[in-house]
Amino acid sequence: MQIFSCDHCGHPVFFENVQCLQCGSALAFVPERMAVTAIEPVQVSAPPDPQVPPVEPLWQPRSSGEGSTPQYRLCQNQTRYQACNFTVAADDPNPLCMSCRQTRILPDLSVPENVPRWIRIETAKRRLLYTLLRLGLADPRAKEGPIYQFMADLPGQAPVMTGHAAGVITLNVAEADDDERVRRRVQLFEPYRTLLGHLRHESGHYYWDQLVRDHPQHLADFRALFGDESQDYMQALQAHYAAGDGKPDWRPGFVSAYAAAHPWEDWAETWAHYLHMVDLLETAASYRTRIVLPSAEGAQPSRPADPFQEGRSSFDEWIAQWVPVTLLLNSLNRSLGQDDAYPFALSEQALRKLRFVHDVIAQAGAPVQADAQPEATPT
């Protein structure tokens, strides 16, 4: 993801920020602009009528000049729970932003621990939505797209299973707890298990239906690379989990061990990996990263390019930029005593599958450009 700047003072801010720590401006992400924007309340010319029920206050960009100024409301999940930083267009009758309105089922928020769990999941979902919007895969008005349900286990009922079915993505909110996620990571032999990774994976199942299943040529090409998805899915998963850590080596053909379970999971894991790549390359480009591998004599600096820029670079160029970025990322993590942030080594077959995802997405829609961010002010 790109690094944002407060468009009132130029200070760097993050995607999730709701206030600029430099100038104190209120901040919100405006989907129509694809930018974090400094906002201020719209001045009301007359005091409200006490006989009229109050309405949600309107906001406008703080840096507005002359002429018509767009007006927004804050997402209702922000005004009620401080759980969202997206705006809603003033003329949109839906009280929820384009991200929150896709969530149809919530856990019981009267249970105290469910509120922070839900907030963490929604934060990850907004990051996913940002990437899907930039890729041209999501509808800015959220008139179509996956439906989400975030649910908690209940006594006497079957455990909530994370997954996708018929356009509905379900996530067990226990995954938002670090200890539970690590326990499942070890139990299921998944070294890379995050909330954002989960949502990217499940979105892959949704977009397989949209981009592959109903397109005969894509489906034929998919089967040639990933295998026949009509093989028994539940039987394949049972065999995968029964093998435990004794399963055959998956590295020559897959991006992860779970990808080897079934062609559908292979696609979803590859899709998620592609979104990881897009996000990280955009971040590196946003910071104007320049990398020279220290062991390569006479090596030219690697400068990751924004994958969403007009005339974006080819997939081969992405891969050439990808390796130095991940080496830097892992080295920084090890310097802090952390495990590798990117514990993968991509085989030729895995790269062919990633290229297929790249080509399918490129044919599906043009990337959406974000507003140019102001230069950061030195402090």
Side-chain angles (χ1 to χ4, degrees), residues 135-343:
L135 288 169
L137 295 173
D139 175 10
R141 287 283 184 170
K143 294 180 180 178
E144 57 186 46
I147 294 171
Y148 296 86
Q149 49 187 26
F150 303 139
M151 305 168 67
D153 291 336
L154 297 174
Q157 297 188 18
V160 174
M161 301 300 294
T162 292
H164 166 270
V168 178
I169 292 174
T170 302
L171 190 68
N172 189 324
V173 296
E175 291 279 357
D177 296 337
D178 291 341
D179 56 347
E180 177 62 21
R181 194 167 57 255
V182 170
R183 186 187 69 81
R184 297 186 185 201
R185 179 186 303 162
V186 173
Q187 181 184 40
L188 300 176
F189 308 101
E190 297 178 8
Y192 195 79
R193 190 179 180 94
T194 66
L195 283 178
L196 182 54
H198 265 323
L199 293 173
R200 285 172 173 164
H201 174 100
E202 299 305 339
S203 76
H205 289 301
Y206 172 83
Y207 281 102
W208 188 86
D209 291 351
Q210 308 301 311
L211 305 178
V212 178
R213 183 191 62 187
D214 300 328
H215 297 262
Q217 187 58 56
H218 287 172
L219 183 58
D221 293 341
F222 167 85
R223 288 173 174 169
L225 267 177
F226 294 84
D228 184 358
E229 82 289 349
S230 65
Q231 63 179 277
D232 191 290
Y233 178 72
M234 293 309 300
Q235 183 177 348
L237 285 192
Q238 289 171 2
H240 169 78
Y241 288 120
D245 60 357
K247 60 178 65 67
D249 185 21
W250 50 269
R251 291 170 183 82
F254 305 92
V255 296
S256 71
Y258 189 51
H262 187 275
W264 275 338
E265 299 304 341
D266 192 4
W267 160 269
E269 286 286 273
T270 305
W271 173 277
H273 207 103
Y274 182 82
L275 298 189
H276 292 333
M277 295 176 67
V278 167
D279 203 344
L280 188 57
L281 286 174
E282 186 189 16
T283 303
S286 183
Y287 276 95
R288 302 177 184 177
T289 307
R290 176 180 179 272
I291 306 170
V292 178
L293 296 181
S295 61
E297 294 183 6
Q300 295 297 311
S302 172
R303 297 180 181 273
D306 182 351
F308 300 115
Q309 66 187 4
E310 293 185 17
R312 56 183 175 172
S313 54
S314 70
F315 182 76
D316 289 330
E317 291 173 310
W318 283 21
I319 296 303
Q321 298 163 4
W322 181 243
V323 174
V325 169
T326 57
L327 288 173
L328 172 62
L329 179 64
N330 287 342
S331 296
L332 291 172
N333 252 40
R334 293 185 185 193
S335 296
L336 295 174
Q338 300 290 330
D339 292 337
D340 286 349
Y342 184 77

Side-chain angles (χ1 to χ4, degrees), residues 6-8 23-26 37-40 60-65 69:
C6 172
D7 54 6
H8 182 69
C23 68
S25 294
T37 302
I39 57 174
E40 61 185 2
Q60 63 188 8
R62 187 173 178 183
S63 57
S64 298
T69 302

